[in-house]
Amino acid sequence: MPIQYYIILSLALFCIGIVGVLVRRNAIIIFMCIELMLNAVNLLLVAFSKMQYNTAVIANKATTVGAEGQLFVFFIMVVAAAEVSVGLAIIVMMFRNTHSIDVNFLNRLKN
Amino acid sequence: MNAIILSALGGIVMMFTGIFTQNKIVIKNIAIITLLLLLIGNLLHFYGIYMLHVDVKDMLQFNNFGLFFNTIAFTSTLIYFLLSGTDITKVGINVAEYFALIFFVLCGVSILTSFHNLLMLFLGIEILSIPLYILTGADKKNLKSNEAALKYFLMGSFSTGILLMGIALLYGASGNFSIESVPSTTSKVAEMANSSILTPLGLLFVFVALLFKVSAAPFHFWVPDVYDGAPSVFTSFMATIAKAVGFIAFIFLFESRIAELGPSSRIIIPFVIILTLLIGNITAVFQQSVKRMLAYSSIAQAGFMLFVLYSNNDISSEGILLYSVAYSFATIGIFAILIKMKDYTFEGYNGLAKKEPLIAAANTIFLLSLAGIPLTAGFFAKYYMLLSAIKANGQNALWLVIVAVLFAAVSVYYYFRVIQAMYFKEGNPEIATTNTSFKVILLALAAIIIFIGLFPTVVLNFLYF
């Protein structure tokens, strides 16, 4: 498959994520949309990595080109997991105090 | 390398301290000693003494500029611990963890001052941000703190997503994660991926994400709420050290690549600078709370620091270091006093000069420095930034410099409102009791600011020795 398909798919997922963050008002859903953005990036990185490998392998059979792209994906996953643990803790903390996870509820600081 | 290892170890040491003792004074003193060790370790790096010889595969590169910024960040943190350490212990019950988290932030800072690879940029930003989300929400029962933490977290991870998308696109164009623009190993890849679009688009995404992190307009909207809602002690840390390092990341990344952003970069950067100055300064004028005013003023100061992207030369690199010193020291001082006040509004400062003349005098010097009045560090910081713009672009930059100076004049209004309240208004301000050492450190800090204002080259000479 040409790389353009992957780019378009990833950008589409990424945009769905961005729109979700901007439009939805439920903290958990916003959070899921952010995860969607990160996973779109993962998909794109893997696709690019494979693309780099496919071009390099013609010249040299034992090439490792493209490995770092896939390694990066693991780092994103680890960091995303760390972020989830902190983020869910923050959401739970807020829920304990307000009994709601609606971000519209969050306007005390405005005035 | 010393700084990265020692700061991470420092965080672990603080977490273990929390297991073995609950004595707040002991914990605070251990934190100060650990920080001193970290500072010494970083200074040793200047002389080529390393703890470990790690092969970093060129993912990190250490130069005097980054090491010097580390020194500034650690010194500011040390002053911050000395001034506000007691207040950190009053935020909640998990005292040792707050110090541990601050050490982890410093680990992120040291990575961001030495990264030479986009992976390290990403990890550095995350190691810097995640502890800050927790610190923002440290006051668990306070709804404002909760709200600030959630907002900061959502906005922070949103910008991380954008940053990652930028990195992925850059990877697609070049086939590696180096921050220097290396042409793709195989020209065929470049053709397939149509890298002529991928590189500018990727750089734009990274640019936007970093603007988020340094709170530049139009991505500043989370700043006032987060800085206002977070416990004041941690706002002080967030607004200074964690923010200034964003500009260092900016410099490393865009030093050589700013032109690749496309011809529009010549328009985008002045636009961002002016918008940041405009929003920061004008909104700060209308604030009633000093804490919120400082949040907007930090946006305005970011506008000046953004000149480093516009001019991108030696003077601007020196200027950003001087600016970090001037801004961090003054803001830490102002916040240290703010934390002691009962009432955060301007009225709360009424008559402070009569009750606490020394504290009011120190506060005045900090505010003058932020406003950029001559004889204080803030003046030379602003001077270097504006000079660099003239040096870089000559006559064409003149209008931008004039606009910046006009906004600096606006900033004088809201900084002087605090001075006016302290000296020329009657009132009985409620201020927590302060001991002598607090006042001594505060006056020493004020003296340092005036000293740098008189001899700015003393600081900058460190860069070249």
Side-chain angles (χ1 to χ4, degrees), chain B residues 223-266:
Chain B
V223 178
D225 291 353
V226 171
Y227 284 12
D228 197 14
S232 303
V233 258
F234 297 134
T235 310
S236 165
F237 186 72
M238 272 193 316
T240 53
I241 293 138
K243 184 166 165 151
V245 74
F247 289 96
I248 306 298
F250 247 137
I251 294 175
F252 281 160
L253 199 56
F254 284 99
E255 221 168 16
S256 53
R257 307 194 73 162
I258 195 84
E260 287 176 51
L261 206 56
S264 52
S265 72
R266 280 277 149 235

mmCIF file of all heavy atoms in Angstrom, chain B residues 223-266:
data_model
loop_
_atom_site.group_PDB
_atom_site.id
_atom_site.type_symbol
_atom_site.label_atom_id
_atom_site.label_comp_id
_atom_site.label_asym_id
_atom_site.label_seq_id
_atom_site.Cartn_x
_atom_site.Cartn_y
_atom_site.Cartn_z
ATOM 1 N N VAL B 223 -2.885 29.187 30.977
ATOM 2 C CA VAL B 223 -1.921 29.685 31.972
ATOM 3 C C VAL B 223 -2.570 30.386 33.166
ATOM 4 O O VAL B 223 -2.310 30.005 34.303
ATOM 5 C CB VAL B 223 -0.893 30.613 31.302
ATOM 6 C CG1 VAL B 223 0.067 31.163 32.316
ATOM 7 C CG2 VAL B 223 -0.167 29.878 30.222
ATOM 8 N N PRO B 224 -3.440 31.399 32.945
ATOM 9 C CA PRO B 224 -3.958 32.123 34.112
ATOM 10 C C PRO B 224 -4.693 31.199 35.075
ATOM 11 O O PRO B 224 -4.469 31.273 36.290
ATOM 12 C CB PRO B 224 -4.920 33.141 33.505
ATOM 13 C CG PRO B 224 -4.552 33.234 32.085
ATOM 14 C CD PRO B 224 -3.970 31.946 31.693
ATOM 15 N N ASP B 225 -5.532 30.303 34.538
ATOM 16 C CA ASP B 225 -6.301 29.416 35.407
ATOM 17 C C ASP B 225 -5.394 28.473 36.179
ATOM 18 O O ASP B 225 -5.571 28.264 37.378
ATOM 19 C CB ASP B 225 -7.300 28.606 34.569
ATOM 20 C CG ASP B 225 -8.388 29.493 34.016
ATOM 21 O OD1 ASP B 225 -8.424 30.671 34.406
ATOM 22 O OD2 ASP B 225 -9.181 29.016 33.191
ATOM 23 N N VAL B 226 -4.407 27.907 35.474
ATOM 24 C CA VAL B 226 -3.538 26.931 36.134
ATOM 25 C C VAL B 226 -2.668 27.616 37.180
ATOM 26 O O VAL B 226 -2.561 27.153 38.312
ATOM 27 C CB VAL B 226 -2.674 26.205 35.083
ATOM 28 C CG1 VAL B 226 -1.615 25.366 35.757
ATOM 29 C CG2 VAL B 226 -3.539 25.337 34.206
ATOM 30 N N TYR B 227 -2.085 28.756 36.823
ATOM 31 C CA TYR B 227 -1.204 29.435 37.775
ATOM 32 C C TYR B 227 -1.991 29.955 38.960
ATOM 33 O O TYR B 227 -1.497 29.994 40.076
ATOM 34 C CB TYR B 227 -0.470 30.606 37.090
ATOM 35 C CG TYR B 227 0.655 30.193 36.198
ATOM 36 C CD1 TYR B 227 0.823 28.866 35.836
ATOM 37 C CD2 TYR B 227 1.568 31.116 35.706
ATOM 38 C CE1 TYR B 227 1.845 28.475 35.013
ATOM 39 C CE2 TYR B 227 2.607 30.738 34.871
ATOM 40 C CZ TYR B 227 2.734 29.417 34.521
ATOM 41 O OH TYR B 227 3.755 29.039 33.703
ATOM 42 N N ASP B 228 -3.241 30.343 38.713
ATOM 43 C CA ASP B 228 -4.063 30.868 39.791
ATOM 44 C C ASP B 228 -4.520 29.752 40.718
ATOM 45 O O ASP B 228 -4.551 29.908 41.936
ATOM 46 C CB ASP B 228 -5.270 31.598 39.184
ATOM 47 C CG ASP B 228 -5.921 32.511 40.191
ATOM 48 O OD1 ASP B 228 -5.292 32.771 41.218
ATOM 49 O OD2 ASP B 228 -7.045 32.956 39.944
ATOM 50 N N GLY B 229 -4.881 28.605 40.122
ATOM 51 C CA GLY B 229 -5.455 27.535 40.922
ATOM 52 C C GLY B 229 -4.436 26.724 41.690
ATOM 53 O O GLY B 229 -4.725 26.220 42.768
ATOM 54 N N ALA B 230 -3.238 26.583 41.136
ATOM 55 C CA ALA B 230 -2.223 25.762 41.787
ATOM 56 C C ALA B 230 -1.834 26.389 43.132
ATOM 57 O O ALA B 230 -1.928 27.606 43.287
ATOM 58 C CB ALA B 230 -1.006 25.632 40.894
ATOM 59 N N PRO B 231 -1.387 25.568 44.091
ATOM 60 C CA PRO B 231 -0.883 26.140 45.345
ATOM 61 C C PRO B 231 0.228 27.150 45.038
ATOM 62 O O PRO B 231 1.091 26.871 44.201
ATOM 63 C CB PRO B 231 -0.322 24.925 46.088
ATOM 64 C CG PRO B 231 -1.016 23.754 45.500
ATOM 65 C CD PRO B 231 -1.346 24.099 44.100
ATOM 66 N N SER B 232 0.217 28.296 45.708
ATOM 67 C CA SER B 232 1.122 29.392 45.330
ATOM 68 C C SER B 232 2.587 28.988 45.288
ATOM 69 O O SER B 232 3.330 29.438 44.426
ATOM 70 C CB SER B 232 0.969 30.547 46.294
ATOM 71 O OG SER B 232 -0.356 30.951 46.314
ATOM 72 N N VAL B 233 3.005 28.131 46.215
ATOM 73 C CA VAL B 233 4.415 27.730 46.207
ATOM 74 C C VAL B 233 4.790 27.057 44.901
ATOM 75 O O VAL B 233 5.874 27.290 44.358
ATOM 76 C CB VAL B 233 4.760 26.728 47.336
ATOM 77 C CG1 VAL B 233 5.450 27.426 48.452
ATOM 78 C CG2 VAL B 233 3.598 25.945 47.785
ATOM 79 N N PHE B 234 3.881 26.226 44.400
ATOM 80 C CA PHE B 234 4.220 25.494 43.182
ATOM 81 C C PHE B 234 4.043 26.366 41.947
ATOM 82 O O PHE B 234 4.715 26.155 40.945
ATOM 83 C CB PHE B 234 3.395 24.213 43.099
ATOM 84 C CG PHE B 234 3.682 23.279 44.223
ATOM 85 C CD1 PHE B 234 2.674 22.654 44.915
ATOM 86 C CD2 PHE B 234 4.992 23.057 44.630
ATOM 87 C CE1 PHE B 234 2.957 21.818 45.972
ATOM 88 C CE2 PHE B 234 5.290 22.229 45.680
ATOM 89 C CZ PHE B 234 4.263 21.609 46.355
ATOM 90 N N THR B 235 3.144 27.346 42.010
ATOM 91 C CA THR B 235 3.056 28.289 40.894
ATOM 92 C C THR B 235 4.398 28.969 40.697
ATOM 93 O O THR B 235 4.866 29.147 39.579
ATOM 94 C CB THR B 235 2.000 29.362 41.186
ATOM 95 O OG1 THR B 235 0.819 28.727 41.586
ATOM 96 C CG2 THR B 235 1.737 30.197 39.968
ATOM 97 N N SER B 236 5.004 29.342 41.817
ATOM 98 C CA SER B 236 6.296 30.006 41.772
ATOM 99 C C SER B 236 7.306 29.170 40.990
ATOM 100 O O SER B 236 8.042 29.685 40.155
ATOM 101 C CB SER B 236 6.763 30.227 43.201
ATOM 102 O OG SER B 236 8.098 30.532 43.263
ATOM 103 N N PHE B 237 7.309 27.871 41.239
ATOM 104 C CA PHE B 237 8.261 26.987 40.558
ATOM 105 C C PHE B 237 7.897 26.812 39.089
ATOM 106 O O PHE B 237 8.747 26.892 38.200
ATOM 107 C CB PHE B 237 8.267 25.643 41.276
ATOM 108 C CG PHE B 237 9.307 24.696 40.770
ATOM 109 C CD1 PHE B 237 10.643 24.913 41.046
ATOM 110 C CD2 PHE B 237 8.951 23.598 40.013
ATOM 111 C CE1 PHE B 237 11.612 24.053 40.578
ATOM 112 C CE2 PHE B 237 9.917 22.737 39.544
ATOM 113 C CZ PHE B 237 11.243 22.959 39.826
ATOM 114 N N MET B 238 6.596 26.599 38.842
ATOM 115 C CA MET B 238 6.139 26.374 37.467
ATOM 116 C C MET B 238 6.412 27.559 36.571
ATOM 117 O O MET B 238 6.818 27.424 35.425
ATOM 118 C CB MET B 238 4.626 26.153 37.469
ATOM 119 C CG MET B 238 4.223 24.763 37.664
ATOM 120 S SD MET B 238 2.519 24.500 37.310
ATOM 121 C CE MET B 238 1.645 25.787 38.024
ATOM 122 N N ALA B 239 6.155 28.761 37.123
ATOM 123 C CA ALA B 239 6.215 29.962 36.294
ATOM 124 C C ALA B 239 7.653 30.356 36.002
ATOM 125 O O ALA B 239 7.891 31.177 35.130
ATOM 126 C CB ALA B 239 5.499 31.107 36.989
ATOM 127 N N THR B 240 8.619 29.824 36.712
ATOM 128 C CA THR B 240 9.995 30.274 36.496
ATOM 129 C C THR B 240 10.833 29.217 35.799
ATOM 130 O O THR B 240 11.069 29.305 34.599
ATOM 131 C CB THR B 240 10.636 30.641 37.839
ATOM 132 O OG1 THR B 240 10.486 29.554 38.733
ATOM 133 C CG2 THR B 240 9.981 31.852 38.438
ATOM 134 N N ILE B 241 11.231 28.212 36.545
ATOM 135 C CA ILE B 241 12.212 27.260 36.029
ATOM 136 C C ILE B 241 11.612 26.408 34.924
ATOM 137 O O ILE B 241 12.183 26.270 33.841
ATOM 138 C CB ILE B 241 12.735 26.387 37.175
ATOM 139 C CG1 ILE B 241 13.527 27.273 38.126
ATOM 140 C CG2 ILE B 241 13.584 25.263 36.673
ATOM 141 C CD1 ILE B 241 13.281 27.013 39.553
ATOM 142 N N ALA B 242 10.416 25.875 35.195
ATOM 143 C CA ALA B 242 9.805 24.981 34.226
ATOM 144 C C ALA B 242 9.464 25.720 32.941
ATOM 145 O O ALA B 242 9.356 25.127 31.881
ATOM 146 C CB ALA B 242 8.551 24.354 34.818
ATOM 147 N N LYS B 243 9.293 27.026 33.023
ATOM 148 C CA LYS B 243 8.917 27.783 31.840
ATOM 149 C C LYS B 243 10.143 28.214 31.043
ATOM 150 O O LYS B 243 10.177 28.091 29.821
ATOM 151 C CB LYS B 243 8.145 29.013 32.286
ATOM 152 C CG LYS B 243 7.628 29.794 31.153
ATOM 153 C CD LYS B 243 6.636 30.751 31.706
ATOM 154 C CE LYS B 243 6.347 31.795 30.697
ATOM 155 N NZ LYS B 243 5.009 32.295 30.872
ATOM 156 N N ALA B 244 11.173 28.688 31.747
ATOM 157 C CA ALA B 244 12.354 29.185 31.045
ATOM 158 C C ALA B 244 13.010 28.087 30.225
ATOM 159 O O ALA B 244 13.547 28.342 29.145
ATOM 160 C CB ALA B 244 13.337 29.765 32.048
ATOM 161 N N VAL B 245 12.939 26.845 30.726
ATOM 162 C CA VAL B 245 13.632 25.774 30.011
ATOM 163 C C VAL B 245 12.970 25.492 28.657
ATOM 164 O O VAL B 245 13.630 25.022 27.733
ATOM 165 C CB VAL B 245 13.698 24.495 30.879
ATOM 166 C CG1 VAL B 245 12.366 23.813 30.959
ATOM 167 C CG2 VAL B 245 14.742 23.554 30.345
ATOM 168 N N GLY B 246 11.683 25.837 28.542
ATOM 169 C CA GLY B 246 11.024 25.676 27.250
ATOM 170 C C GLY B 246 11.724 26.472 26.163
ATOM 171 O O GLY B 246 11.828 26.023 25.020
ATOM 172 N N PHE B 247 12.234 27.628 26.540
ATOM 173 C CA PHE B 247 12.911 28.459 25.543
ATOM 174 C C PHE B 247 14.251 27.856 25.149
ATOM 175 O O PHE B 247 14.680 27.985 24.002
ATOM 176 C CB PHE B 247 13.102 29.873 26.085
ATOM 177 C CG PHE B 247 11.814 30.622 26.179
ATOM 178 C CD1 PHE B 247 11.118 30.667 27.352
ATOM 179 C CD2 PHE B 247 11.287 31.225 25.060
ATOM 180 C CE1 PHE B 247 9.915 31.327 27.429
ATOM 181 C CE2 PHE B 247 10.084 31.885 25.125
ATOM 182 C CZ PHE B 247 9.395 31.934 26.308
ATOM 183 N N ILE B 248 14.905 27.182 26.107
ATOM 184 C CA ILE B 248 16.170 26.521 25.779
ATOM 185 C C ILE B 248 15.907 25.418 24.755
ATOM 186 O O ILE B 248 16.646 25.261 23.773
ATOM 187 C CB ILE B 248 16.814 25.950 27.058
ATOM 188 C CG1 ILE B 248 16.965 27.023 28.119
ATOM 189 C CG2 ILE B 248 18.148 25.310 26.751
ATOM 190 C CD1 ILE B 248 17.857 28.153 27.743
ATOM 191 N N ALA B 249 14.814 24.658 24.991
ATOM 192 C CA ALA B 249 14.453 23.613 24.030
ATOM 193 C C ALA B 249 14.200 24.227 22.664
ATOM 194 O O ALA B 249 14.645 23.717 21.633
ATOM 195 C CB ALA B 249 13.214 22.865 24.524
ATOM 196 N N PHE B 250 13.506 25.362 22.663
ATOM 197 C CA PHE B 250 13.230 26.088 21.435
ATOM 198 C C PHE B 250 14.524 26.415 20.688
ATOM 199 O O PHE B 250 14.658 26.197 19.488
ATOM 200 C CB PHE B 250 12.534 27.414 21.773
ATOM 201 C CG PHE B 250 11.118 27.478 21.287
ATOM 202 C CD1 PHE B 250 10.115 27.997 22.078
ATOM 203 C CD2 PHE B 250 10.810 27.044 20.019
ATOM 204 C CE1 PHE B 250 8.812 28.067 21.632
ATOM 205 C CE2 PHE B 250 9.510 27.110 19.561
ATOM 206 C CZ PHE B 250 8.512 27.613 20.371
ATOM 207 N N ILE B 251 15.519 26.946 21.447
ATOM 208 C CA ILE B 251 16.772 27.360 20.807
ATOM 209 C C ILE B 251 17.461 26.166 20.171
ATOM 210 O O ILE B 251 17.858 26.199 19.008
ATOM 211 C CB ILE B 251 17.713 28.014 21.838
ATOM 212 C CG1 ILE B 251 17.115 29.309 22.339
ATOM 213 C CG2 ILE B 251 19.070 28.283 21.225
ATOM 214 C CD1 ILE B 251 17.924 29.931 23.428
ATOM 215 N N PHE B 252 17.589 25.070 20.952
ATOM 216 C CA PHE B 252 18.300 23.900 20.420
ATOM 217 C C PHE B 252 17.645 23.401 19.149
ATOM 218 O O PHE B 252 18.302 23.016 18.198
ATOM 219 C CB PHE B 252 18.308 22.776 21.457
ATOM 220 C CG PHE B 252 19.332 22.973 22.525
ATOM 221 C CD1 PHE B 252 19.228 22.320 23.725
ATOM 222 C CD2 PHE B 252 20.405 23.816 22.313
ATOM 223 C CE1 PHE B 252 20.173 22.508 24.718
ATOM 224 C CE2 PHE B 252 21.354 24.014 23.294
ATOM 225 C CZ PHE B 252 21.230 23.356 24.492
ATOM 226 N N LEU B 253 16.308 23.411 19.178
ATOM 227 C CA LEU B 253 15.589 22.800 18.068
ATOM 228 C C LEU B 253 15.613 23.683 16.832
ATOM 229 O O LEU B 253 15.787 23.212 15.712
ATOM 230 C CB LEU B 253 14.140 22.547 18.509
ATOM 231 C CG LEU B 253 13.379 21.542 17.707
ATOM 232 C CD1 LEU B 253 14.123 20.235 17.691
ATOM 233 C CD2 LEU B 253 12.024 21.348 18.327
ATOM 234 N N PHE B 254 15.451 24.986 17.024
ATOM 235 C CA PHE B 254 15.214 25.839 15.865
ATOM 236 C C PHE B 254 16.434 26.643 15.447
ATOM 237 O O PHE B 254 16.357 27.390 14.496
ATOM 238 C CB PHE B 254 14.036 26.768 16.143
ATOM 239 C CG PHE B 254 12.725 26.056 16.041
ATOM 240 C CD1 PHE B 254 12.071 25.621 17.156
ATOM 241 C CD2 PHE B 254 12.180 25.790 14.801
ATOM 242 C CE1 PHE B 254 10.870 24.948 17.061
ATOM 243 C CE2 PHE B 254 10.978 25.112 14.693
ATOM 244 C CZ PHE B 254 10.326 24.692 15.831
ATOM 245 N N GLU B 255 17.552 26.476 16.177
ATOM 246 C CA GLU B 255 18.769 27.200 15.835
ATOM 247 C C GLU B 255 19.077 27.087 14.344
ATOM 248 O O GLU B 255 19.287 28.077 13.654
ATOM 249 C CB GLU B 255 19.929 26.603 16.641
ATOM 250 C CG GLU B 255 20.872 27.609 17.184
ATOM 251 C CD GLU B 255 21.801 26.967 18.195
ATOM 252 O OE1 GLU B 255 21.886 25.719 18.229
ATOM 253 O OE2 GLU B 255 22.414 27.702 18.941
ATOM 254 N N SER B 256 19.059 25.834 13.883
ATOM 255 C CA SER B 256 19.471 25.627 12.498
ATOM 256 C C SER B 256 18.298 25.424 11.557
ATOM 257 O O SER B 256 18.460 25.440 10.349
ATOM 258 C CB SER B 256 20.393 24.413 12.435
ATOM 259 O OG SER B 256 19.758 23.330 13.048
ATOM 260 N N ARG B 257 17.120 25.220 12.118
ATOM 261 C CA ARG B 257 16.034 24.770 11.238
ATOM 262 C C ARG B 257 14.923 25.783 11.041
ATOM 263 O O ARG B 257 13.947 25.488 10.379
ATOM 264 C CB ARG B 257 15.406 23.495 11.817
ATOM 265 C CG ARG B 257 16.409 22.431 12.090
ATOM 266 C CD ARG B 257 15.747 21.122 12.327
ATOM 267 N NE ARG B 257 15.219 20.560 11.102
ATOM 268 C CZ ARG B 257 14.889 19.284 10.955
ATOM 269 N NH1 ARG B 257 15.045 18.464 11.963
ATOM 270 N NH2 ARG B 257 14.400 18.842 9.837
ATOM 271 N N ILE B 258 15.067 26.959 11.650
ATOM 272 C CA ILE B 258 13.932 27.885 11.623
ATOM 273 C C ILE B 258 13.542 28.238 10.185
ATOM 274 O O ILE B 258 12.366 28.422 9.875
ATOM 275 C CB ILE B 258 14.250 29.146 12.455
ATOM 276 C CG1 ILE B 258 12.990 29.934 12.742
ATOM 277 C CG2 ILE B 258 15.269 30.040 11.802
ATOM 278 C CD1 ILE B 258 12.239 29.454 13.918
ATOM 279 N N ALA B 259 14.532 28.274 9.292
ATOM 280 C CA ALA B 259 14.227 28.640 7.911
ATOM 281 C C ALA B 259 13.387 27.577 7.223
ATOM 282 O O ALA B 259 12.641 27.871 6.292
ATOM 283 C CB ALA B 259 15.520 28.860 7.148
ATOM 284 N N GLU B 260 13.520 26.326 7.704
ATOM 285 C CA GLU B 260 12.790 25.237 7.046
ATOM 286 C C GLU B 260 11.294 25.314 7.319
ATOM 287 O O GLU B 260 10.518 24.579 6.724
ATOM 288 C CB GLU B 260 13.302 23.886 7.538
ATOM 289 C CG GLU B 260 14.663 23.538 7.003
ATOM 290 C CD GLU B 260 15.159 22.238 7.601
ATOM 291 O OE1 GLU B 260 14.416 21.257 7.555
ATOM 292 O OE2 GLU B 260 16.279 22.227 8.128
ATOM 293 N N LEU B 261 10.926 26.156 8.267
ATOM 294 C CA LEU B 261 9.507 26.330 8.559
ATOM 295 C C LEU B 261 8.786 26.935 7.361
ATOM 296 O O LEU B 261 7.571 26.998 7.321
ATOM 297 C CB LEU B 261 9.365 27.226 9.787
ATOM 298 C CG LEU B 261 8.118 27.107 10.643
ATOM 299 C CD1 LEU B 261 7.941 25.689 11.124
ATOM 300 C CD2 LEU B 261 8.231 28.020 11.833
ATOM 301 N N GLY B 262 9.580 27.388 6.403
ATOM 302 C CA GLY B 262 8.981 27.973 5.212
ATOM 303 C C GLY B 262 9.109 29.485 5.262
ATOM 304 O O GLY B 262 9.498 30.053 6.275
ATOM 305 N N PRO B 263 8.798 30.141 4.170
ATOM 306 C CA PRO B 263 8.949 31.593 4.134
ATOM 307 C C PRO B 263 8.043 32.297 5.134
ATOM 308 O O PRO B 263 8.313 33.428 5.538
ATOM 309 C CB PRO B 263 8.558 31.951 2.693
ATOM 310 C CG PRO B 263 7.778 30.787 2.201
ATOM 311 C CD PRO B 263 8.285 29.592 2.923
ATOM 312 N N SER B 264 6.989 31.601 5.576
ATOM 313 C CA SER B 264 6.040 32.242 6.487
ATOM 314 C C SER B 264 6.618 32.463 7.876
ATOM 315 O O SER B 264 6.054 33.209 8.668
ATOM 316 C CB SER B 264 4.784 31.390 6.589
ATOM 317 O OG SER B 264 5.143 30.072 6.898
ATOM 318 N N SER B 265 7.772 31.803 8.190
ATOM 319 C CA SER B 265 8.321 31.931 9.535
ATOM 320 C C SER B 265 8.657 33.379 9.860
ATOM 321 O O SER B 265 8.599 33.797 11.016
ATOM 322 C CB SER B 265 9.572 31.073 9.684
ATOM 323 O OG SER B 265 10.634 31.636 8.960
ATOM 324 N N ARG B 266 9.002 34.154 8.849
ATOM 325 C CA ARG B 266 9.330 35.567 9.073
ATOM 326 C C ARG B 266 8.095 36.366 9.505
ATOM 327 O O ARG B 266 8.220 37.449 10.065
ATOM 328 C CB ARG B 266 9.919 36.183 7.796
ATOM 329 C CG ARG B 266 11.359 35.865 7.606
ATOM 330 C CD ARG B 266 12.267 36.802 8.394
ATOM 331 N NE ARG B 266 13.481 36.134 8.796
ATOM 332 C CZ ARG B 266 13.914 36.056 10.048
ATOM 333 N NH1 ARG B 266 13.242 36.604 11.021
ATOM 334 N NH2 ARG B 266 15.016 35.445 10.346
#
